[in-house]
Amino acid sequence: DVNDRLAFTERRFLTETGLPERRWFRSLLQAPGIDEGYAPQTFPGVRDALRPSGGAGLAAAQRQLDVLATRVAAAAAFLTGEPDGEVEAIFV
């Protein structure tokens, strides 16, 4: 059971709607960078909102942080076996 939970924890960080402006990337943890080519970018929703050119600004970054915090809490609950960890998706 613990191994299954560890194996499926990353799914708690997927969103059905994808990242803002890049809907085809569903992970809130990592995605290729916009300006970095294929180099990975951590917390891409937050970083994209804070980009100097074309970023959506602090309000959008805060919304992404709120979504990310919700997903971290869901992942922690999932790992401990709490029912709140069973959330499948959150809309960004």
Side-chain angles (χ1 to χ4, degrees), residues 46-63:
V46 177
R47 290 184 59 169
D48 289 352
L50 295 174
R51 285 181 48 225
S53 61
L58 292 177
Q62 184 61 56
R63 282 192 302 274

Side-chain angles (χ1 to χ4, degrees), residues 5 14-16 29 40 45 47-49 53 62:
R5 290 193 178 282
L14 297 179
T15 175
E16 287 185 14
L29 293 180
R47 290 184 59 169
D48 289 352
S53 61
Q62 184 61 56

Side-chain angles (χ1 to χ4, degrees), residues 10 19 22 24-45 47-48:
E10 190 171 356
L19 298 173
R22 300 192 291 162
W24 52 94
F25 292 115
R26 296 181 52 220
S27 175
L28 298 173
L29 293 180
Q30 75 271 336
I34 290 177
D35 299 321
E36 292 86 7
Y38 289 106
Q41 181 183 67
T42 54
F43 309 124
R47 290 184 59 169
D48 289 352

Side-chain angles (χ1 to χ4, degrees), residues 20 45-46 49 56-70 91-92:
V46 177
L58 292 177
Q62 184 61 56
R63 282 192 302 274
Q64 289 299 306
L65 282 171
D66 293 343
V67 169
L68 193 56
T70 300
F91 296 99
V92 181

